[in-house]
Each structure stands twice: as C-alpha cells, then as structure tokens.
Amino acid sequence: MSSIAPAAAPKNEQEILSTYRQMQSEMQGLIQNLTKVEMERNEHRLVEETLEPLDPDRRAFRLVGGVLVERTVREVLPTVKEHRGNLDGLVQNLKEKLDSKQKEAAAWKAKYNIKTQEEAEAANRQ
C-alpha cells in the first residue's frame, strides 16, 4: 500500500475527494487482508490445540502445495506453531498499517473539512 503524500497541494475539490476515496479504499483492502489472516491464524490455533494432546508418533496428514503428505504429529506440530507465530506477526503488522492509514485519512479529512453524507445530514438536522 502506498502512502498518499502529494508533493504539491491539491488544486481542486475533485483531487481532494479523490485522494480521500483512495485512502478509504486502501483501508478497506487492509481490513479485508487483516480479516483473512486472522481467520487463517485461528485455523492454525485450532489445529495446534487438536494436535497437542495426541501421541507424538500418531500419523498426521498435512496439505503441502495441494498434495496431502503423511507425517507424524511430532513433525507437523512445530511447523504449525511456527506458521501461527508468523501469522501473529503479520496480524500485528497489518493492524499497525491500518491504524496509520486511519490516522492519515482522519488528518486529511480534518484538513480539508470533508464530511460524509451521514455527517452532513446530521449537521442539517441540528
């Protein structure tokens, strides 16, 4: 995701709104990625919880690149834990990026006094 930092100030209202919409779109993409990775992390956690109480020499099957491979619980469990650790790091990274993008969009919105339709309607009702 690229950061929106125009060298020159936007020339008109259209450019301002376009930049804001692009920021919103990037945030939506980050939210979708975060949701997908969190679901995958939860799947890894469930597999880990299922395998831990089992006998280490018990057969376990793992899907590797579309191929089902037979291993033992002893061989599979460390890999599952490692992948879950990687996913934890990725989730943290995505949350930080999303937070940064939300702050950037809020600053842009405040700087150019952008109001959503709901905000404009609420202001008109008062």
Side-chain angles (χ1 to χ4, degrees):
M1 303 286 151
S2 65
S3 179
I4 305 297
K11 295 180 180 36
N12 59 35
E13 188 175 316
Q14 201 66 20
E15 288 179 23
I16 293 169
L17 289 176
S18 174
T19 302
Y20 182 70
R21 285 189 186 113
Q22 184 177 358
M23 288 179 183
Q24 294 285 61
S25 176
E26 287 177 16
M27 285 190 301
Q28 278 300 110
L30 285 171
I31 290 170
Q32 288 173 350
N33 286 343
L34 181 60
T35 302
K36 179 181 168 186
V37 171
E38 283 180 333
M39 287 175 47
E40 194 171 331
R41 180 183 64 172
N42 288 337
E43 287 177 19
H44 277 70
R45 182 185 50 79
L46 287 173
V47 170
E48 193 177 322
E49 289 173 358
T50 303
L51 291 178
E52 280 181 335
L54 299 178
D55 176 29
D57 294 322
R58 183 175 174 165
R59 288 189 310 174
F61 293 89
R62 182 165 180 247
L63 194 61
V64 178
V67 177
L68 200 56
V69 179
E70 182 179 346
R71 299 276 189 248
T72 63
V73 170
R74 178 176 306 150
E75 295 169 328
V76 172
L77 192 55
T79 306
V80 171
K81 286 182 179 183
E82 180 184 340
H83 283 258
R84 194 181 87 163
N86 293 342
L87 290 172
D88 286 340
L90 185 56
V91 164
Q92 186 63 32
N93 186 332
L94 286 172
K95 283 182 179 180
E96 289 170 4
K97 282 184 181 179
L98 179 60
D99 188 46
S100 169
K101 186 55 72 175
Q102 286 172 334
K103 287 177 183 174
E104 183 181 347
W108 187 265
K109 185 177 177 181
K111 179 178 180 180
Y112 292 104
N113 197 25
I114 299 172
K115 293 193 186 314
T116 63
Q117 186 173 2
E118 293 85 17
E119 291 169 340
E121 289 173 359
N124 288 339
R125 280 188 245 138
Q126 293 178 352

